[in-house]
mmCIF file of all heavy atoms in Angstrom:
data_model
loop_
_atom_site.group_PDB
_atom_site.id
_atom_site.type_symbol
_atom_site.label_atom_id
_atom_site.label_comp_id
_atom_site.label_asym_id
_atom_site.label_seq_id
_atom_site.Cartn_x
_atom_site.Cartn_y
_atom_site.Cartn_z
ATOM 1 N N LYS A 167 -1.209 130.551 90.643
ATOM 2 C CA LYS A 167 -2.235 130.706 89.618
ATOM 3 C C LYS A 167 -3.547 131.020 90.333
ATOM 4 O O LYS A 167 -3.836 130.463 91.388
ATOM 5 C CB LYS A 167 -2.388 129.426 88.807
ATOM 6 C CG LYS A 167 -3.470 129.521 87.745
ATOM 7 C CD LYS A 167 -3.595 128.223 86.987
ATOM 8 C CE LYS A 167 -4.724 128.321 85.978
ATOM 9 N NZ LYS A 167 -4.907 127.061 85.257
ATOM 10 N N ARG A 180 3.189 136.891 95.184
ATOM 11 C CA ARG A 180 3.065 137.226 96.609
ATOM 12 C C ARG A 180 4.465 137.438 97.167
ATOM 13 O O ARG A 180 5.245 136.491 97.289
ATOM 14 C CB ARG A 180 2.364 136.087 97.338
ATOM 15 C CG ARG A 180 2.074 136.374 98.783
ATOM 16 C CD ARG A 180 1.426 135.168 99.432
ATOM 17 N NE ARG A 180 0.738 135.540 100.652
ATOM 18 C CZ ARG A 180 0.241 134.666 101.507
ATOM 19 N NH1 ARG A 180 0.341 133.366 101.261
ATOM 20 N NH2 ARG A 180 -0.358 135.073 102.595
ATOM 21 N N LEU A 181 4.773 138.685 97.504
ATOM 22 C CA LEU A 181 6.099 138.989 97.995
ATOM 23 C C LEU A 181 6.287 138.489 99.417
ATOM 24 O O LEU A 181 5.365 138.548 100.226
ATOM 25 C CB LEU A 181 6.382 140.488 97.913
ATOM 26 C CG LEU A 181 6.844 140.912 96.506
ATOM 27 C CD1 LEU A 181 5.714 140.908 95.534
ATOM 28 C CD2 LEU A 181 7.539 142.224 96.545
ATOM 29 N N SER A 185 11.321 139.480 103.810
ATOM 30 C CA SER A 185 12.426 140.088 103.082
ATOM 31 C C SER A 185 12.475 141.597 103.280
ATOM 32 O O SER A 185 11.492 142.294 103.064
ATOM 33 C CB SER A 185 12.284 139.783 101.583
ATOM 34 O OG SER A 185 13.254 140.488 100.865
ATOM 35 N N GLY A 189 10.106 145.152 99.734
ATOM 36 C CA GLY A 189 9.266 146.352 99.652
ATOM 37 C C GLY A 189 9.701 147.296 98.551
ATOM 38 O O GLY A 189 8.878 147.798 97.785
ATOM 39 N N ARG A 193 7.480 148.157 95.084
ATOM 40 C CA ARG A 193 7.125 149.507 94.608
ATOM 41 C C ARG A 193 7.698 149.763 93.221
ATOM 42 O O ARG A 193 7.025 150.307 92.346
ATOM 43 C CB ARG A 193 7.611 150.557 95.597
ATOM 44 C CG ARG A 193 6.755 150.657 96.844
ATOM 45 C CD ARG A 193 7.179 151.802 97.758
ATOM 46 N NE ARG A 193 8.521 151.641 98.310
ATOM 47 C CZ ARG A 193 8.833 150.835 99.333
ATOM 48 N NH1 ARG A 193 7.889 150.115 99.909
ATOM 49 N NH2 ARG A 193 10.073 150.754 99.771
ATOM 50 N N LEU A 198 6.831 150.675 87.606
ATOM 51 C CA LEU A 198 7.336 150.562 86.239
ATOM 52 C C LEU A 198 6.387 149.808 85.321
ATOM 53 O O LEU A 198 6.025 150.292 84.256
ATOM 54 C CB LEU A 198 8.701 149.871 86.227
ATOM 55 C CG LEU A 198 9.879 150.705 86.667
ATOM 56 C CD1 LEU A 198 11.148 149.875 86.646
ATOM 57 C CD2 LEU A 198 10.045 151.919 85.780
ATOM 58 N N ALA A 209 1.696 141.346 80.924
ATOM 59 C CA ALA A 209 0.679 142.360 81.216
ATOM 60 C C ALA A 209 0.419 142.438 82.722
ATOM 61 O O ALA A 209 0.163 141.432 83.370
ATOM 62 C CB ALA A 209 -0.612 142.052 80.480
ATOM 63 N N LEU A 211 -1.902 143.563 85.741
ATOM 64 C CA LEU A 211 -3.333 143.775 85.942
ATOM 65 C C LEU A 211 -3.659 144.573 87.195
ATOM 66 O O LEU A 211 -4.707 145.182 87.279
ATOM 67 C CB LEU A 211 -4.051 142.421 85.985
ATOM 68 C CG LEU A 211 -3.858 141.528 84.756
ATOM 69 C CD1 LEU A 211 -4.506 140.174 84.968
ATOM 70 C CD2 LEU A 211 -4.378 142.206 83.508
ATOM 71 N N GLU A 218 1.417 143.757 105.911
ATOM 72 C CA GLU A 218 2.638 143.132 105.391
ATOM 73 C C GLU A 218 2.395 142.380 104.087
ATOM 74 O O GLU A 218 3.338 141.906 103.464
ATOM 75 C CB GLU A 218 3.208 142.168 106.435
ATOM 76 C CG GLU A 218 3.741 142.869 107.669
ATOM 77 C CD GLU A 218 4.358 141.878 108.643
ATOM 78 O OE1 GLU A 218 4.422 140.674 108.341
ATOM 79 O OE2 GLU A 218 4.788 142.321 109.706
ATOM 80 N N LEU A 222 1.252 141.345 93.491
ATOM 81 C CA LEU A 222 1.255 141.868 92.129
ATOM 82 C C LEU A 222 0.459 140.885 91.283
ATOM 83 O O LEU A 222 0.660 139.670 91.370
ATOM 84 C CB LEU A 222 2.684 141.989 91.593
ATOM 85 C CG LEU A 222 3.580 142.974 92.334
ATOM 86 C CD1 LEU A 222 5.043 142.750 91.987
ATOM 87 C CD2 LEU A 222 3.176 144.400 92.005
ATOM 88 N N TYR A 226 -1.838 135.393 83.206
ATOM 89 C CA TYR A 226 -1.308 134.049 83.437
ATOM 90 C C TYR A 226 -0.617 133.537 82.177
ATOM 91 O O TYR A 226 -1.147 133.673 81.076
ATOM 92 C CB TYR A 226 -2.448 133.115 83.839
ATOM 93 C CG TYR A 226 -2.021 131.684 84.012
ATOM 94 C CD1 TYR A 226 -1.190 131.326 85.073
ATOM 95 C CD2 TYR A 226 -2.428 130.699 83.128
ATOM 96 C CE1 TYR A 226 -0.790 130.009 85.241
ATOM 97 C CE2 TYR A 226 -2.040 129.384 83.298
ATOM 98 C CZ TYR A 226 -1.212 129.053 84.354
ATOM 99 O OH TYR A 226 -0.814 127.758 84.519
ATOM 100 N N PHE A 237 15.745 123.494 80.095
ATOM 101 C CA PHE A 237 16.347 122.478 80.952
ATOM 102 C C PHE A 237 15.551 121.169 81.044
ATOM 103 O O PHE A 237 15.937 120.272 81.779
ATOM 104 C CB PHE A 237 16.597 123.058 82.344
ATOM 105 C CG PHE A 237 17.572 124.199 82.302
ATOM 106 C CD1 PHE A 237 17.154 125.489 82.576
ATOM 107 C CD2 PHE A 237 18.895 123.992 81.946
ATOM 108 C CE1 PHE A 237 18.045 126.549 82.514
ATOM 109 C CE2 PHE A 237 19.788 125.036 81.886
ATOM 110 C CZ PHE A 237 19.372 126.316 82.172
ATOM 111 N N LEU A 244 10.356 120.900 71.674
ATOM 112 C CA LEU A 244 9.347 121.805 71.109
ATOM 113 C C LEU A 244 9.974 123.094 70.581
ATOM 114 O O LEU A 244 9.348 123.822 69.810
ATOM 115 C CB LEU A 244 8.293 122.147 72.159
ATOM 116 C CG LEU A 244 7.461 120.977 72.681
ATOM 117 C CD1 LEU A 244 6.593 121.426 73.837
ATOM 118 C CD2 LEU A 244 6.621 120.373 71.557
ATOM 119 N N ILE A 272 14.019 152.050 80.039
ATOM 120 C CA ILE A 272 14.199 151.121 81.147
ATOM 121 C C ILE A 272 15.371 150.184 80.877
ATOM 122 O O ILE A 272 15.492 149.646 79.778
ATOM 123 C CB ILE A 272 12.934 150.248 81.348
ATOM 124 C CG1 ILE A 272 11.674 151.098 81.461
ATOM 125 C CG2 ILE A 272 13.096 149.278 82.497
ATOM 126 C CD1 ILE A 272 11.576 151.914 82.699
ATOM 127 N N ILE A 273 16.187 149.953 81.895
ATOM 128 C CA ILE A 273 17.179 148.886 81.873
ATOM 129 C C ILE A 273 16.635 147.816 82.809
ATOM 130 O O ILE A 273 16.403 148.081 83.993
ATOM 131 C CB ILE A 273 18.560 149.360 82.356
ATOM 132 C CG1 ILE A 273 19.091 150.467 81.444
ATOM 133 C CG2 ILE A 273 19.537 148.185 82.400
ATOM 134 C CD1 ILE A 273 20.384 151.087 81.925
ATOM 135 N N HIS A 274 16.421 146.612 82.302
ATOM 136 C CA HIS A 274 15.782 145.546 83.075
ATOM 137 C C HIS A 274 16.662 145.069 84.228
ATOM 138 O O HIS A 274 16.197 144.896 85.336
ATOM 139 C CB HIS A 274 15.437 144.377 82.148
ATOM 140 C CG HIS A 274 14.628 143.317 82.802
ATOM 141 N ND1 HIS A 274 15.185 142.320 83.566
ATOM 142 C CD2 HIS A 274 13.290 143.092 82.812
ATOM 143 C CE1 HIS A 274 14.237 141.532 84.023
ATOM 144 N NE2 HIS A 274 13.069 141.978 83.565
ATOM 145 N N ALA A 279 16.530 133.405 81.673
ATOM 146 C CA ALA A 279 15.517 132.496 81.119
ATOM 147 C C ALA A 279 14.287 132.376 82.007
ATOM 148 O O ALA A 279 13.172 132.285 81.502
ATOM 149 C CB ALA A 279 16.137 131.121 80.859
ATOM 150 N N ASN A 281 12.930 134.626 83.723
ATOM 151 C CA ASN A 281 12.148 135.860 83.660
ATOM 152 C C ASN A 281 11.589 136.128 82.265
ATOM 153 O O ASN A 281 11.099 137.211 81.989
ATOM 154 C CB ASN A 281 12.984 137.049 84.134
ATOM 155 C CG ASN A 281 13.211 137.013 85.622
ATOM 156 O OD1 ASN A 281 12.456 136.391 86.358
ATOM 157 N ND2 ASN A 281 14.260 137.659 86.077
ATOM 158 N N ASP A 294 9.354 140.352 85.641
ATOM 159 C CA ASP A 294 10.173 140.638 86.821
ATOM 160 C C ASP A 294 10.960 141.950 86.663
ATOM 161 O O ASP A 294 12.128 141.952 86.325
ATOM 162 C CB ASP A 294 11.120 139.489 87.148
ATOM 163 C CG ASP A 294 11.696 139.625 88.549
ATOM 164 O OD1 ASP A 294 11.511 140.686 89.198
ATOM 165 O OD2 ASP A 294 12.340 138.669 89.009
ATOM 166 N N ALA A 298 14.654 146.669 87.801
ATOM 167 C CA ALA A 298 14.749 147.567 86.647
ATOM 168 C C ALA A 298 14.983 149.008 87.082
ATOM 169 O O ALA A 298 14.601 149.412 88.184
ATOM 170 C CB ALA A 298 13.477 147.475 85.810
ATOM 171 N N PHE A 301 16.252 155.276 82.969
ATOM 172 C CA PHE A 301 17.330 156.220 82.715
ATOM 173 C C PHE A 301 16.822 157.325 81.811
ATOM 174 O O PHE A 301 15.869 157.159 81.067
ATOM 175 C CB PHE A 301 18.596 155.535 82.173
ATOM 176 C CG PHE A 301 18.464 154.857 80.841
ATOM 177 C CD1 PHE A 301 18.819 155.501 79.668
ATOM 178 C CD2 PHE A 301 18.024 153.543 80.756
ATOM 179 C CE1 PHE A 301 18.736 154.869 78.453
ATOM 180 C CE2 PHE A 301 17.926 152.895 79.535
ATOM 181 C CZ PHE A 301 18.282 153.566 78.381
ATOM 182 N N LYS A 309 24.564 152.891 82.895
ATOM 183 C CA LYS A 309 25.304 151.805 83.522
ATOM 184 C C LYS A 309 24.527 151.266 84.707
ATOM 185 O O LYS A 309 23.808 151.990 85.362
ATOM 186 C CB LYS A 309 26.671 152.309 84.009
ATOM 187 C CG LYS A 309 27.552 152.755 82.876
ATOM 188 C CD LYS A 309 28.870 153.254 83.387
ATOM 189 C CE LYS A 309 29.690 153.712 82.190
ATOM 190 N NZ LYS A 309 30.809 154.499 82.562
ATOM 191 N N TRP A 313 27.144 143.577 86.559
ATOM 192 C CA TRP A 313 26.975 142.896 85.284
ATOM 193 C C TRP A 313 26.127 141.635 85.461
ATOM 194 O O TRP A 313 25.462 141.180 84.548
ATOM 195 C CB TRP A 313 28.343 142.545 84.701
ATOM 196 C CG TRP A 313 28.234 141.751 83.448
ATOM 197 C CD1 TRP A 313 28.562 140.450 83.274
ATOM 198 C CD2 TRP A 313 27.732 142.190 82.176
ATOM 199 N NE1 TRP A 313 28.305 140.045 81.997
ATOM 200 C CE2 TRP A 313 27.793 141.101 81.299
ATOM 201 C CE3 TRP A 313 27.223 143.394 81.711
ATOM 202 C CZ2 TRP A 313 27.380 141.185 79.979
ATOM 203 C CZ3 TRP A 313 26.820 143.463 80.389
ATOM 204 C CH2 TRP A 313 26.901 142.375 79.539
ATOM 205 N N LYS A 317 21.813 139.299 82.078
ATOM 206 C CA LYS A 317 22.107 137.932 81.672
ATOM 207 C C LYS A 317 21.564 137.608 80.285
ATOM 208 O O LYS A 317 21.370 136.459 79.950
ATOM 209 C CB LYS A 317 21.555 136.967 82.713
ATOM 210 C CG LYS A 317 22.221 137.149 84.056
ATOM 211 C CD LYS A 317 21.775 136.114 85.034
ATOM 212 C CE LYS A 317 22.510 136.350 86.338
ATOM 213 N NZ LYS A 317 22.229 135.334 87.308
ATOM 214 N N LEU A 322 20.681 134.063 75.441
ATOM 215 C CA LEU A 322 20.838 133.776 74.018
ATOM 216 C C LEU A 322 21.666 132.525 73.805
ATOM 217 O O LEU A 322 21.385 131.724 72.913
ATOM 218 C CB LEU A 322 21.483 134.966 73.308
ATOM 219 C CG LEU A 322 20.604 136.212 73.163
ATOM 220 C CD1 LEU A 322 21.406 137.332 72.512
ATOM 221 C CD2 LEU A 322 19.376 135.900 72.362
#
Side-chain angles (χ1 to χ4, degrees):
K167 179 181 177 182
R180 185 182 199 189
L181 277 73
S185 173
R193 284 185 296 282
L198 284 178
L211 303 175
E218 292 183 3
L222 296 164
Y226 176 69
F237 297 112
L244 297 173
I272 308 291
I273 299 174
H274 187 277
N281 288 337
D294 195 350
F301 63 95
K309 296 179 181 165
W313 175 249
K317 297 186 179 185
L322 289 177

